[in-house]
Amino acid sequence: MNRFFSAFILLVSLGATHCVFSFHKDQSKNDKFTVVLDAGHGGHDPGNMGNGYKEKDIALQIVLQVGRILEKNSDINVIYTRKDDSFVDLYVRGKIANEAKADLFVSVHCNSHSSSAHGTETFVLGLHANERNFDVAKKENSVIYLEDDYEVNYAGYDINSPESFIGLTIMQEEFLDQSISLAKSIQDQFTGQLKRVNRGVKQAGFIVLHQTFMPSVLVETGFLTYKPEGAYLNSSKGKSDMATSIASAILKYKAQVDENVGGDFSYEVKDHSLPSTANENSSVETSAGVTFRVQIAAGSNAIETKSYNFKGLSPISREKEGAVYRYYYGETSSYEAVKEMQKKAIAKGYSSSFVVAFKNGEKVKVSSVVNSASN
Ligand SMILES: [Zn+2]
């Protein structure tokens, strides 16, 4: 199959998968912050074997320790894509995270290179800016060839083709800010606490990151091919250091998310154009194709639309306009019903909440679609 064609098929098939998952995203399911920890490789895929150190074992031991630290927090739910030396297909790893409706996906790996390159780097999904980033992704992606049905599951995807990655970023785009924030936090821990060489936060086309529908990062903890670093990562101190840093970064990230929920929203000016004579009980006529939602908040941070992030209100939807995310509660074609929802939002503490109207998907002035019968 030619490269462009296979890239297209990949996008179609992966895109379809994501639609299914996002459709099923239940906003009120669990109240715990769910972290999926993904130890790279496993089973008949050892990962890289620089200097004889085994990536799959080091990654697993780091991940298990990260999990043990996080599990001490009663409001965190930890899920592992593997807890032993087993082989897990890349798309299955994403599926586990999506089905858990996780808040974070963290994949842990060790790097390799023929040079004496060393240091830590954390990736988010994106277009690789250079050949070096592409090489890292290519190596990690090559595991699909060890999977039984990779032709079916990845639709003839060609890991050697840079074109295959174009468009891979689309589904992760809405989580990019959060993914970068976590990646930065992880790198800060590695360099600040552990004084590891910092290769930075980078973007590249990792298949495993593309499979998830939540903020996701892939951590390269260091190069096994660089002897001193390989020996460190293989030591119990090295693994414990890396695990502690990754866990601290995740806890920091969670604290940031928690904080943003309480405040830090810039409230917007209400739509005052609705005639004030339209009191709560007056009957109103609305135009066809119109729906209403209650805007409860807006801000520059993308926050998961889970009800626990919004004082128990559900359903919550989020839309991005320019640099601003807007958060809406409810959706109904009845103006009476939306006014009730607004009362509920106000009672929950969103005192500045207001009704927003949409006509055929476009935001319109409430006054343009509501005619008060008492007017
Ligand atoms: Zn790896």
Side-chain angles (χ1 to χ4, degrees), residues 134-208:
F134 180 44
D135 282 344
V136 179
K138 218 159 47 173
K139 267 181 218 155
E140 301 292 9
N141 290 342
S142 66
V143 61
I144 65 169
Y145 297 130
L146 298 174
E147 298 181 11
D148 288 337
D149 286 324
Y150 84 88
E151 296 93 339
V152 176
N153 292 319
Y154 306 98
Y157 181 64
D158 178 4
I159 63 155
N160 293 310
S161 156
E163 295 90 352
S164 285
F165 292 104
I166 294 170
L168 267 183
T169 55
I170 294 169
M171 297 311 294
Q172 267 286 313
E173 205 160 65
E174 73 168 291
F175 305 113
L176 190 59
D177 289 354
Q178 290 161 293
S179 302
I180 289 172
S181 160
L182 175 65
K184 202 180 166 304
S185 179
I186 290 172
Q187 285 303 120
D188 285 350
Q189 291 287 328
F190 287 161
T191 51
Q193 301 296 314
L194 304 181
K195 312 290 176 214
R196 307 303 302 168
V197 171
N198 184 11
R199 299 173 62 89
V201 172
K202 298 177 175 179
Q203 285 189 295
F206 291 91
I207 292 176
V208 73

Side-chain angles (χ1 to χ4, degrees), residues 40-41 47-48 55 108-111 139-140 218 220:
H41 315 277
N48 94 70
E55 180 184 1
V108 174
H109 291 256
C110 307
N111 232 326
K139 267 181 218 155
E140 301 292 9
L218 186 146
E220 292 284 2

